[in-house]
Structures are given as C-alpha cells and as structure tokens.
Amino acid sequence: AYIRAAVAKGLLGQVMAVHLAGHWDHNWVGTHAVFNTVHHIILYDYAIHWFDMINCYTPGLKATKVYASNAYAPNQSAKPPLMGQVIVEFDGAQASLQFDASTK
C-alpha cells in the first residue's frame, strides 16, 4: 500500500521498471482436488494479484506485449507447474514477475 500511495503522489517520479519476485511453497495445491488440476495455477490464481500491482505502479501505461511461461520444479509434489515467469512490455517501461512456488 505504501508503494502504491507513493506512486500515486508522484514521490518516485516516472516509473519505468517494476520487477517483483516471490519464493514460497505452494505444494499445498496438491491436496486440493480442483486446484491440483489447474495447469496454470501460479499464473492464473496467484499472479493475477501481482498483475494488479504492476497496474498500480505504472498508472496510465498500457501493456504492449506480455510473455509468460511456467515450468515444473524438480522437487515439487503438486501436479501443476509451480514455477512461472512473466515479462510485460510498455512504451518506455518494463515489468517482470518471477514465481518460484516449490521452495522447501
């Protein structure tokens, strides 16, 4: 909330780059009948909130390109891939998201 307010007040100047990362254990989805069948669970169910953050940190900018991929972690027990990454391009700005959801 602090960063969102700082951006809204112009305290950070023009934001031209946003890079966010999360590292946690999300293997619990393997115990949930529905979540364990959602192939893009990290990008679909989790990353959506991080897309909102990028939007808050880059007011007035529209994404021109978005690239995303996911992968299986060697130590994961859940069925869906638990690693994901996203690159967002804007005119004059960029953003990236990194999700490593099988840390133990």
Side-chain angles (χ1 to χ4, degrees), residues 1 7 16 62 69 80 92:
V7 169
M16 61 183 176
K62 291 191 179 229
S69 66

Side-chain angles (χ1 to χ4, degrees), residues 22-93:
H23 313 280
W24 75 106
D25 187 0
H26 210 62
N27 277 288
W28 69 267
V29 298
T31 65
H32 192 281
V34 175
F35 288 154
N36 203 37
T37 64
V38 180
H39 182 72
H40 295 97
I41 191 74
I42 297 301
L43 298 176
Y44 174 75
D45 184 60
Y46 187 79
I48 190 69
H49 306 291
W50 295 64
F51 282 114
D52 284 343
M53 285 191 278
I54 290 173
N55 201 33
C56 290
Y57 301 160
T58 58
L61 297 181
K62 291 191 179 229
T64 57
K65 294 180 183 175
V66 178
Y67 307 90
S69 66
N70 59 10
Y72 292 96
N75 65 337
Q76 74 174 72
S77 56
K79 183 180 175 185
L82 293 182
M83 297 191 306
Q85 59 185 350
V86 179
I87 302 292
V88 183
E89 293 181 9
F90 303 90
D91 284 334

